[in-house]
Amino acid sequence: MDDTNKQKGTVKEFAEITDLCRDIFVKKLSDYGTSWRVMRPSSLTDQIYIKARRIRSIEEKGEKAVDEGIESEFIGIVNYCAIALIQLRLGTGESICKKEAEKLYDEAIKEATSLMLNKNHDYDEAWRHMRVSSFTDIILQKLLRTKEIESNGGKTIISEGVDANYMDMINYSIFALIKLSYGE
């Protein structure tokens, strides 16, 4: 498969997975509203950390005690990262309407997708040769970086900010979901 066709395949698979994540976001929005609006980004970082640790635990133990697989945890990471990006933009606050929440979610995913396309062009589909467990480790590393930046009041000297880390975690989670859904 040539580079153009590989990139087209990635775009198609990425869109299918983001549609799945969005569908779950919208359904949970119907169940819970925008109760997440009270959460600070640092609390969202911790929620994402819990999900990534569960994935790693299941990968290492080869078994799970709760009847949900790692796919649902990667979807949760995508959605919590999108929520964190919304919270960074709006700050914590009052509820917003469902339509506005969906619009903001779509903007966050669109921004992460744009970043993925640019990086994927430069890295030439390297993610396809990675293991799902490597995505888990990279997400955990991004979380530790994010926690460090949050502990420093959001300030960095040379590094990207927390928003870039959230977008990278979205993209690595979607790559993992593509590999889990479509195989190698």
Side-chain angles (χ1 to χ4, degrees):
M1 187 184 305
D2 67 14
D3 290 344
T4 303
N5 286 334
K6 280 194 267 184
Q7 187 81 351
K8 285 181 183 174
T10 296
V11 170
K12 179 182 177 289
E13 292 165 349
F14 206 87
E16 290 170 0
I17 297 297
T18 57
D19 286 349
L20 169 70
C21 294
R22 186 185 194 283
D23 182 61
I24 291 170
F25 175 81
V26 169
K27 287 176 179 170
K28 289 200 175 205
L29 199 55
S30 292
D31 287 346
Y32 304 129
T34 57
S35 57
W36 46 265
R37 289 283 296 128
V38 303
M39 295 184 79
R40 292 172 282 199
S42 58
S43 297
L44 290 161
T45 300
D46 288 342
Q47 184 65 41
I48 298 162
Y49 180 79
I50 290 167
K51 294 194 165 299
R53 285 295 307 168
R54 180 168 185 266
I55 294 167
R56 186 161 178 177
S57 173
I58 292 169
E59 289 171 347
E60 289 176 347
K61 293 174 185 171
E63 62 185 21
K64 58 187 189 293
V66 176
D67 192 29
E68 280 188 344
I70 63 173
E71 293 87 348
S72 64
E73 300 298 352
F74 279 118
I75 291 167
I77 291 171
V78 170
N79 289 342
Y80 275 118
C81 285
I83 289 168
L85 289 167
I86 294 168
Q87 293 296 81
L88 285 173
R89 181 174 170 192
L90 299 182
T92 57
E94 299 298 316
S95 252
I96 55 176
C97 72
K98 181 179 174 187
K99 187 174 183 114
E100 179 68 9
E102 289 178 29
K103 178 179 140 290
L104 292 166
Y105 178 89
D106 291 342
E107 289 171 4
I109 295 298
K110 183 179 177 186
E111 191 175 357
T113 301
S114 177
L115 176 66
M116 178 280 296
L117 289 171
N118 290 335
K119 286 186 173 185
N120 196 44
H121 174 272
D122 290 353
Y123 289 103
D124 195 30
E125 299 276 320
W127 68 271
R128 290 205 181 264
H129 303 284
M130 295 173 64
R131 297 173 187 95
V132 171
S133 60
S134 294
F135 296 134
T136 305
D137 291 349
I138 292 168
I139 290 167
L140 283 164
Q141 177 194 40
K142 296 272 179 194
L143 284 161
L144 294 174
R145 289 178 178 182
T146 300
K147 287 177 149 198
E148 190 67 28
I149 294 167
E150 289 169 344
S151 294
N152 292 333
K155 292 180 178 34
T156 60
I157 297 169
I158 194 169
S159 304
E160 300 171 311
V162 295
D163 57 339
N165 284 293
Y166 287 135
M167 285 190 282
D168 283 344
M169 287 185 272
I170 287 172
N171 291 333
Y172 283 120
S173 293
I174 293 173
F175 287 156
L177 287 162
I178 289 171
K179 290 189 80 99
L180 292 167
S181 298
Y182 302 103
E184 300 298 318

